[in-house]
Amino acid sequence: MLLTITYKGTAESPATDLGYLLHKNPGRLHELEISFGKAYIFYPEASEGGCTVALLLDVDPVGLVRGRRGSSGEGFSLEQYVNDRPYVASSFMSVALAKAFGTALSGRSKERPDLAEATLTLTVHIAALACKEGDDFLRKLFEPLGYQVTIEGYQLDEKFPEWGASPYYTVELAGQVRLRDLLSHLYVLIPVLDDEKHYWVGEDEIEKLLKFGAGWLAAHPEREAITNRYLKRQRHLTTAALARLAEGTPDDDVAEEVHDLEETLVEEKISLNQQRLGSVMSILKASGAKRILDLGCGEGRLLRLLLEDRSFTEIVGVDVSYRVLEKAKERLHMDRMPERQKERIKLVHGSLTYKDARLSGFDAAAVVEVIEHLDPPRLAAFERVLFEFARPGVVVTTTPNREYNSMWESLPAGKFRHRDHRFEWSRAEFQDWATGVAEKFGYSVRFLPVGSEDAAVGAPTQMGVFTRE
Ligand code: SAH
């Protein structure tokens, strides 16, 4: 399915500014992995007088079934394989829009902030929009927002005119509009038209609707129909959303929330990362440990926090990758570090699957998001290196909780969170492993969740804290 946006430019701003506004270079083909397939962003035209960006979705219908997304369980038995999902603009398009153009959707532009606030002449072309009610409803949705709507309809089959009209339309919207408003309109109204959301609808959908509907939905003559369909006709949600629309949401809050959106959508990992490091730091601090190993230290995020806390007197980062150690050195500004600070930290190039005398005699070791990078046959070697030979008083390990992966829209079903992961464990698998290790090497172990915990699938990260007995 294909959606294009065209900007013709003005005397002051060449059309290619669209690339700056969308944060996507017109000279390149951009590819995004999304849970339901792939999105491609490219520019069929990029000259000063006209610039068109295309968002092409390649939905993987088999993946959808495997991930059990998009199937309602109703309909005929082959419906999950034979359906219009790969061809029609639907909520998949909204997810892709938010992912591809999150910054523009939030109204930000580093290079062209003024243009991001300006009303531009923009034209959108959507190859296939479903609208069972016919083109009248399509107009009712877009015309009140100031768009000129051009609709091309089709017969279901030219050979059988008696079958009537197809519910699919090719639609062009032309308007004088801010880019962020255009993207918000599309984000909300495409799934409203499609009227078939591919995932379950919950309270957080109200938040999304209000966020993207900010500034236009409350005054839209079709707000009830839009709200009702967006929330999949769940009356309790619709009532709540309409009440909040009527109340109005303070603009600042909305702006704030929209600004956070890109981060929560695309960079959810960052906040999780911080939470994880925060949890590890508090365990290390509470243990009273002074001499700390950071095993698989990567680029040194934890090392930096450890350095900031003077209660840690000796800090050693270990990694198998020379390249990341170089990065860590750079990020920590080790070249320019005052002598007293420099004495506290050391970076060691080594592998955790080989016995290493340099790792002995420490109070505590952190092993943050590392074990899932080890080949399963090498795990036993790692266990001995750490728990038998290095033998620190406390070991803090974290690893992804595989059960939580289903909560991430953007994570392809059955895929790991990171390309380098050799495995991801469920909570039971991690706890089995950790309990076995603790028993074998004379440690006790307790488990803690990291990140917001879901009642069914747990928290995104799981942590095990081993204490030498
Ligand atoms: N602890 C860091 C990095 C996690 S990524 C953080 O939380 O940000 C995993 C790290 O483990 C990578 O830097 C990788 O190079 C390292 N690693 C993987 N296998 C290793 C091994 N056998 N020995 C030491 N480090 C290893």
Side-chain angles (χ1 to χ4, degrees), residues 4 12 53 80 436 465:
T4 66
E12 303 86 53
V53 67
Q80 48 177 348
V465 181

PDB file of all heavy atoms in Angstrom, residues 4 12 53 80 436 465:
ATOM      1  N   THR A   4       1.544   8.923  -0.742  1.00  0.00           N
ATOM      2  CA  THR A   4       2.559   9.933  -1.087  1.00  0.00           C
ATOM      3  C   THR A   4       2.117  11.302  -0.582  1.00  0.00           C
ATOM      4  O   THR A   4       0.926  11.586  -0.476  1.00  0.00           O
ATOM      5  CB  THR A   4       2.797  10.033  -2.612  1.00  0.00           C
ATOM      6  OG1 THR A   4       1.613  10.526  -3.228  1.00  0.00           O
ATOM      7  CG2 THR A   4       3.181   8.703  -3.225  1.00  0.00           C
ATOM      8  N   GLU A  12      10.383  31.245  -0.997  1.00  0.00           N
ATOM      9  CA  GLU A  12      11.443  31.218   0.026  1.00  0.00           C
ATOM     10  C   GLU A  12      11.944  29.809   0.314  1.00  0.00           C
ATOM     11  O   GLU A  12      13.066  29.617   0.762  1.00  0.00           O
ATOM     12  CB  GLU A  12      10.947  31.795   1.374  1.00  0.00           C
ATOM     13  CG  GLU A  12      10.412  33.206   1.336  1.00  0.00           C
ATOM     14  CD  GLU A  12       8.939  33.229   0.959  1.00  0.00           C
ATOM     15  OE1 GLU A  12       8.162  32.523   1.602  1.00  0.00           O
ATOM     16  OE2 GLU A  12       8.587  33.944   0.006  1.00  0.00           O
ATOM     17  N   VAL A  53       7.261  12.575  -1.326  1.00  0.00           N
ATOM     18  CA  VAL A  53       7.757  11.463  -0.528  1.00  0.00           C
ATOM     19  C   VAL A  53       6.732  10.338  -0.608  1.00  0.00           C
ATOM     20  O   VAL A  53       5.526  10.585  -0.632  1.00  0.00           O
ATOM     21  CB  VAL A  53       8.002  11.877   0.946  1.00  0.00           C
ATOM     22  CG1 VAL A  53       6.703  12.212   1.660  1.00  0.00           C
ATOM     23  CG2 VAL A  53       8.749  10.793   1.698  1.00  0.00           C
ATOM     24  N   GLN A  80      -7.912 -15.417   7.310  1.00  0.00           N
ATOM     25  CA  GLN A  80      -6.649 -14.907   7.846  1.00  0.00           C
ATOM     26  C   GLN A  80      -5.548 -14.916   6.798  1.00  0.00           C
ATOM     27  O   GLN A  80      -4.553 -14.229   6.950  1.00  0.00           O
ATOM     28  CB  GLN A  80      -6.243 -15.657   9.104  1.00  0.00           C
ATOM     29  CG  GLN A  80      -6.308 -17.139   9.007  1.00  0.00           C
ATOM     30  CD  GLN A  80      -5.815 -17.773  10.307  1.00  0.00           C
ATOM     31  OE1 GLN A  80      -5.243 -17.112  11.146  1.00  0.00           O
ATOM     32  NE2 GLN A  80      -6.042 -19.048  10.470  1.00  0.00           N
ATOM     33  N   GLY A 436      19.764 -22.887  39.338  1.00  0.00           N
ATOM     34  CA  GLY A 436      20.726 -23.991  39.156  1.00  0.00           C
ATOM     35  C   GLY A 436      22.150 -23.516  39.400  1.00  0.00           C
ATOM     36  O   GLY A 436      22.922 -24.155  40.117  1.00  0.00           O
ATOM     37  N   VAL A 465      19.751 -11.303  41.269  1.00  0.00           N
ATOM     38  CA  VAL A 465      20.828 -10.823  42.149  1.00  0.00           C
ATOM     39  C   VAL A 465      21.353 -12.015  42.953  1.00  0.00           C
ATOM     40  O   VAL A 465      20.625 -12.606  43.755  1.00  0.00           O
ATOM     41  CB  VAL A 465      20.313  -9.727  43.099  1.00  0.00           C
ATOM     42  CG1 VAL A 465      21.450  -9.221  43.981  1.00  0.00           C
ATOM     43  CG2 VAL A 465      19.694  -8.581  42.317  1.00  0.00           C
TER      44      VAL A 465
END
